[in-house]
Amino acid sequence: MVRRAPPRMPVALALSLLLPACWVTTNEHDRVRAELDHRIGALENNDRQRREQLQQAVDQATAQVRTLNEQLEQARTQTRNLADLGVRIDALEERLRTLNGALDDLRHSVDDASNARTAVETRVTAVERRVGLAPQVDPSQIPADNGQLLALARTAFEARDYTRARFLTNTLLTRAAQDPLADDALLLQSRCLVAENRAATAVQDLNRLLQTYPNGDAVPDALGVLADAFVNLRMCTQAQRTLRLLIERHGRTPAGTAARARLDQVRALPREACGG
């Protein structure tokens, strides 16, 4: 008897039986594919956001560096300016010291000249008395009260007896240089000198008044008389400065009020009246 071979199994069926775990359906493939695409998109999105954040950080850092560079340049400029300013201040201080030294020398010269003039006037008065030219004032008629003595000097001034008036004011100044009326006596003495066309001597007396009695009530009037003395000396620029100083510091006083009109008058003076 002939034995027949068993029938062959189809190939597909055999493969399915041998590899059951390797079979993937179309739906499963699409799901996996979609999940991979989602993950890749999420990674790309995160990467883009990260790049944007990094770019923003770079931009901010660049802006900060630019700002710091500008501030640094400003600081360097300020430092250079401060150095230049320091040099200028040193130069100004040096000039100021030089000017102060010159001013001190001038003050000493004025004081020396004033002392010399006082000594000369004392000698002249002594000579006048010897030759009978000095005002005949009986010592017994000179009041002990300084107020009365100043009143007598003012009476002599109003009578244009300037020599007698100066004698009386000088008497008050000699015996009571610190009296509250001393500045008034020195002012009246200066008025006498201006009236006698002795403006240069009057300027010295008025400067002594302003230095010795800077807070005296005679200061405003003294500045006005000083301006008149400068005009008599054809020093109109100095006269205008004095009047402006009077207006600035004592504008509410009668002398300050009068100084405004006087300043206009001095400004209107012709050139030949002001030293050409």
Side-chain angles (χ1 to χ4, degrees):
M1 185 174 66
V2 179
R3 302 178 71 178
R4 295 181 179 180
R8 292 182 180 181
M9 186 178 296
V11 176
L13 178 60
L15 289 175
S16 62
L17 292 175
L18 292 173
L19 301 172
C22 296
W23 182 257
V24 179
T25 64
T26 301
N27 292 336
E28 183 68 16
H29 179 271
D30 293 340
R31 184 185 65 79
V32 173
R33 180 69 178 182
E35 184 177 351
L36 289 175
D37 291 341
H38 176 73
R39 291 182 180 180
I40 292 172
L43 291 174
E44 291 177 348
N45 185 50
N46 290 337
D47 184 62
R48 183 174 57 257
Q49 292 180 354
R50 181 60 178 170
R51 286 199 304 270
E52 292 176 353
Q53 292 175 354
L54 290 175
Q55 186 62 44
Q56 291 178 358
V58 170
D59 293 341
Q60 291 177 357
T62 302
Q64 291 177 355
V65 169
R66 185 185 304 111
T67 302
L68 290 175
N69 285 332
E70 293 175 353
Q71 293 176 352
L72 179 60
E73 185 60 29
Q74 291 177 358
R76 289 173 177 171
T77 302
Q78 292 176 355
T79 301
R80 289 193 296 269
N81 292 339
L82 288 175
D84 294 340
L85 181 60
V87 173
R88 294 179 182 178
I89 290 176
D90 291 340
L92 290 175
E93 289 180 346
E94 182 62 27
R95 290 184 59 187
L96 184 59
R97 285 192 292 268
T98 302
L99 290 175
N100 284 333
L103 182 59
D104 290 338
D105 292 340
L106 289 174
R107 286 174 177 170
H108 290 314
S109 298
V110 170
D111 291 340
D112 293 341
S114 179
N115 294 334
R117 181 183 62 81
T118 301
V120 171
E121 286 188 346
T122 301
R123 294 178 182 177
V124 170
T125 301
V127 173
E128 288 178 342
R129 288 178 179 174
R130 285 197 297 268
V131 299
L133 296 177
Q136 299 300 318
V137 179
D138 189 342
S140 62
Q141 295 179 355
I142 298 178
D145 180 77
N146 291 330
Q148 295 179 3
L149 178 58
L150 183 60
L152 284 178
R154 286 172 173 165
T155 299
F157 175 79
E158 293 171 358
R160 298 185 179 181
D161 190 352
Y162 304 125
T163 304
R164 180 183 177 87
R166 285 192 295 104
F167 175 83
L168 294 172
T169 56
N170 189 62
T171 300
L172 192 156
L173 291 169
T174 301
R175 76 184 186 187
Q178 302 302 320
D179 190 276
L181 296 176
D183 59 334
D184 298 289
L186 191 53
L187 173 62
L188 182 59
Q189 181 169 292
S190 302
R191 291 183 186 274
C192 293
L193 293 169
V194 173
E196 294 175 304
N197 293 322
R198 299 172 60 186
T201 305
V203 168
Q204 294 181 7
D205 272 350
L206 291 165
N207 283 329
R208 180 156 62 99
L209 187 157
L210 296 173
Q211 293 178 6
T212 307
Y213 312 103
N215 299 319
D217 56 1
V219 169
D221 290 326
L223 290 172
V225 177
L226 180 60
D228 291 337
F230 280 136
V231 171
N232 290 352
L233 294 171
R234 303 174 67 188
M235 302 170 65
C236 298
T237 300
Q238 290 81 348
Q240 292 181 35
R241 290 176 181 171
T242 303
L243 290 170
R244 283 195 291 268
L245 179 64
L246 172 56
I247 295 170
E248 177 183 349
R249 296 187 179 180
H250 310 283
R252 296 184 179 180
T253 64
T257 302
R260 293 180 173 85
R262 182 58 174 151
L263 180 58
D264 292 336
Q265 294 174 357
V266 175
R267 287 172 176 167
L269 289 174
R271 176 176 299 181
E272 55 271 16
C274 296

